[in-house]
């Protein structure tokens, strides 16, 4: 009896193990070479799909007998779909699968995006993914590096501009790139790439320059963040990618963007905003942003954001550690601005983007539920419809 099997593409996977940590039933394991899914345990709950930064985990095959763990752990690439899999005892060996075959339906069902899986907006540009792999990276040169947060802030965030020397690196808004820090890990192997969202539009930090900018926060024990934040002009960086095929900007000029972010989660929102300004000018950008940080000193791009006209981007900057003031988070300001948010939830042109620390997800979701119910909407259904229509996107870490 044919069955679908969940697999991971070893050529694209960057071994970050996020899927393994996310799986609620411990169906994902790894060795030194591969990350794999145990078909004996996997129940297709899809919890691992949205957290994968590369899309490598969104792979499926229909098989008569599942590939074993040992087979998967030895792969360097995925096997092709076996077209000789048969659906019943009467099918002759070697028959090919037709479009109306039950196997095709089974494979399509595996990809239909249940369980909260995000899909790219219908009008989004087609992304290039995995052009440069960790074993064959692109070399980029540091063209600029600037501290974004105040010297008095306890948050050290940098804006880093990378130049590819005229070589093609086709990254678009919402995608990420992988940075390979120098040195070896505790096992004597090269470090795996660390992913950073691109904070510049597709044609570059300056229009037509085709460079790429990143927003990087220094973490005390962060191997890659410290490497990046310590770079100087002219230094070189090994880059893999681009990665990401869902958290993308719609090309539809009528699309409204509701962007909710914290800290360096502002990176893709900056890319979206700059891209829209280049295509729409300073007219109504149909964009709303709720952006949270501890203080104004620790909010990346605070100065430039203040200069963006409110008719283009409606901004709500909120702070949780302002001296003498009550703590406020993005979900709190969403509730204050419930009329605006409710109107956007009821507009079929609205696309929601949430990016930042994973801890923000629950509070934002509860705020949406409160606001939706206040206007007679069932939030779980509303969110499901937006996901089905590729208008609800979450990228947290």
């Amino acid at each position: 009896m044919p069955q679908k099997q969940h697999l991971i593409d070893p050529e694209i996977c960057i071994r970050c193990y996020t899927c393994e940590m996310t799986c609620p039933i411990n169906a994902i394991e790894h060795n030194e070479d591969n990350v794999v899914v145990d078909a004996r345990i996997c129940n297709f709950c899809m919890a691992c799909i949205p957290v994968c930064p590369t899309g490598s985990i969104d792979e499926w095959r229909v098989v008569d007998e599942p590939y074993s763990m040992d087979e998967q752990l030895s792969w360097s690439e995925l096997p092709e779909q076996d077209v000789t899999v048969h659906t019943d005892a009467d099918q002759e060996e070697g028959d090919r699968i037709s479009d109306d075959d039950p196997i095709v339906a089974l494979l399509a069902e595996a990809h239909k995006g249940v369980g909260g899986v995000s899909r790219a907006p219908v009008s989004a540009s087609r992304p290039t993914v995995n052009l440069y792999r960790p074993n064959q990276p692109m070399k980029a040169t540091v063209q600029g590096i600037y501290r974004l947060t105040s010297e008095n802030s306890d948050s050290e965030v940098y804006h880093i501009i990378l130049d590819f020397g005229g070589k093609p690196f086709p990254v678009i808004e919402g995608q990420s790139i992988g940075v390979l820090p120098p040195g070896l890990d505790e096992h004597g192997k090269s470090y795996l790439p660390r992913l950073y969202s691109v904070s510049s539009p597709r044609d570059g930090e300056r229009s037509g320059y085709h460079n790429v900018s990143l927003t990087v926060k220094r973490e005390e024990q962060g191997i890659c963040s410290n490497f990046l934040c310590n770079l100087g002009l002219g230094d070189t960086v090994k880059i893999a990618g681009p990665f990401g095929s869902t958290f993308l900007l719609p090309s539809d000029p009528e699309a409204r963007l509701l962007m909710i972010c914290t800290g360096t989660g502002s990176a893709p929102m900056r890319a979206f905003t700059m891209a829209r300004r280049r295509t729409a000018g300073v007219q109504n950008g149909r964009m709303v942003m709720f952006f949270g940080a501890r203080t104004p000193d620790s909010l990346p791009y605070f100065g430039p954001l203040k200069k963006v006209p409110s008719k283009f981007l409606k901004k709500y900057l909120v702070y949780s550690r302002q001296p003498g003031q009550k703590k406020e988070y993005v979900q709190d300001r969403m509730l204050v601005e419930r009329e605006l948010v409710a109107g956007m939830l009821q507009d079929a042109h609205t696309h929601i983007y949430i990016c930042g620390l994973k801890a923000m997800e629950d509070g934002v979701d509860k705020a949406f539920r409160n606001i939706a119910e206040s206007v007679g909407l069932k939030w779980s259904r509303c969110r499901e419809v937006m996901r089905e229509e590729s208008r609800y996107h979450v990228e947290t870490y």
Side-chain angles (χ1 to χ4, degrees):
M1 182 67 179
Q3 57 187 286
K4 65 182 180 183
Q5 183 175 6
H6 187 187
L7 302 174
I8 299 174
D9 189 338
E11 292 188 285
I12 300 178
C13 175
I14 61 169
R15 285 73 170 166
C16 66
Y17 311 125
T18 306
C19 58
E20 184 175 346
M21 292 184 286
T22 302
C23 180
I25 56 173
N26 299 316
I28 301 177
E29 299 179 13
H30 74 273
N31 64 3
E32 291 187 357
D33 300 312
N34 283 335
V35 185
V36 300
V37 182
D38 192 334
R40 298 166 299 180
I41 301 175
C42 178
N43 63 1
F44 308 109
C45 72
M46 311 290 273
C48 60
I49 304 294
V51 301
C52 176
T54 66
S56 60
I57 200 165
D58 196 7
E59 289 290 343
W60 312 85
R61 296 292 184 271
V62 174
V63 295
D64 277 329
E65 293 291 335
Y67 293 105
S68 71
M69 295 291 280
D70 287 341
E71 285 179 289
Q72 295 180 65
L73 288 168
S74 68
W75 285 344
S76 59
E77 62 182 13
L78 281 179
E80 295 294 330
Q81 173 63 55
D82 182 1
V83 295
T84 64
V85 174
H86 40 277
T87 58
D88 55 52
D90 297 325
Q91 185 178 27
E92 294 183 5
E93 185 176 356
D95 280 357
R96 297 187 67 83
I97 301 174
S98 65
D99 288 343
D100 58 356
D101 193 285
I103 293 180
V104 171
L106 188 61
L107 193 56
E109 192 273 334
H111 277 283
K112 69 182 182 179
V114 297
V117 180
S118 175
R119 301 293 178 189
V122 175
S123 66
S125 298
R126 185 181 180 86
T128 298
V129 178
N130 206 36
L131 180 62
Y132 297 95
R133 299 184 178 179
N135 61 347
Q136 293 181 313
M138 162 74 85
K139 281 191 177 180
T141 302
V142 177
Q143 196 173 44
I145 180 165
Y146 314 95
R147 179 162 176 162
L148 294 172
T149 52
S150 165
E151 294 291 339
N152 300 322
S153 170
D154 58 1
S155 178
E156 195 175 340
V157 181
Y158 289 85
H159 183 74
I160 302 171
I161 305 172
L162 301 176
D163 178 71
F164 298 99
K167 295 180 181 178
F169 197 94
V171 62
I172 63 176
E173 305 83 15
Q175 286 192 291
S176 302
I177 65 173
V179 176
L180 286 85
L184 302 175
D185 64 18
E186 65 272 20
H187 302 294
K189 293 191 173 185
S190 297
Y191 289 111
L192 296 171
R194 270 57 168 180
L195 296 192
Y196 292 90
S197 295
V198 167
S199 56
S200 52
R202 66 190 68 189
D203 58 346
E205 182 69 13
R206 285 182 62 185
S207 183
Y209 276 60
H210 299 285
N211 46 18
V212 165
S213 63
L214 306 177
T215 308
V216 181
K217 179 183 179 182
R218 187 192 295 275
E219 300 291 347
E220 186 176 347
Q221 302 299 323
I223 291 168
C224 195
S225 70
N226 278 291
F227 162 66
L228 287 171
C229 293
N230 289 336
L231 288 170
L233 294 178
D235 287 345
T236 59
V237 184
K238 292 181 180 179
I239 302 295
F243 299 116
S245 58
T246 61
F247 198 90
L248 304 179
L249 177 68
S251 298
D252 179 7
E254 296 301 309
R256 299 175 70 188
L257 307 188
L258 176 53
M259 304 178 291
I260 304 161
C261 59
T262 59
T264 56
S266 60
M269 313 310 187
R270 179 181 187 268
F272 291 169
T273 303
M274 291 180 69
R276 280 233 160 162
R277 289 196 77 174
R278 290 179 186 176
T279 57
V282 294
Q283 301 304 312
N284 188 352
R286 301 172 66 80
M287 305 173 75
V288 174
M289 173 189 279
F290 290 89
F291 187 2
R294 294 170 68 89
T295 63
D297 285 344
S298 62
L299 190 144
Y301 307 111
F302 177 80
L305 271 173
K306 285 288 191 178
K307 297 176 182 178
V308 178
S310 58
K311 67 179 180 180
F312 177 81
L313 172 67
K314 190 166 289 188
K315 306 170 289 291
Y316 298 97
L317 309 181
V318 300
Y319 311 108
S320 61
R321 298 294 188 278
Q322 277 284 67
Q325 296 185 21
K326 183 180 178 181
K327 292 181 181 180
E328 184 180 27
Y329 299 95
V330 286
Q331 60 264 30
D332 300 323
R333 186 63 67 90
M334 288 169 62
L335 293 171
V336 172
E337 302 296 335
R338 64 173 58 243
E339 187 175 337
L340 169 65
V341 176
M344 296 189 77
L345 289 180
Q346 296 174 89
D347 186 342
H349 290 101
T350 296
H351 292 249
I352 294 175
Y353 294 88
I354 302 169
C355 190
L357 294 175
K358 193 169 185 65
M360 72 186 290
E361 277 191 63
D362 187 54
V364 169
D365 193 72
K366 287 178 179 177
F368 272 131
R369 181 180 296 111
N370 183 303
I371 294 167
E373 291 176 352
S374 71
V375 291
L377 297 175
K378 185 176 181 180
W379 171 236
S380 59
R381 177 55 184 159
C382 180
R383 183 180 54 204
E384 180 183 348
V385 168
M386 294 190 75
R387 279 181 173 143
E388 290 172 352
E389 296 177 350
S390 305
R391 297 189 293 113
Y392 187 84
H393 310 275
V394 180
E395 191 170 278
T396 56
Y397 41 86

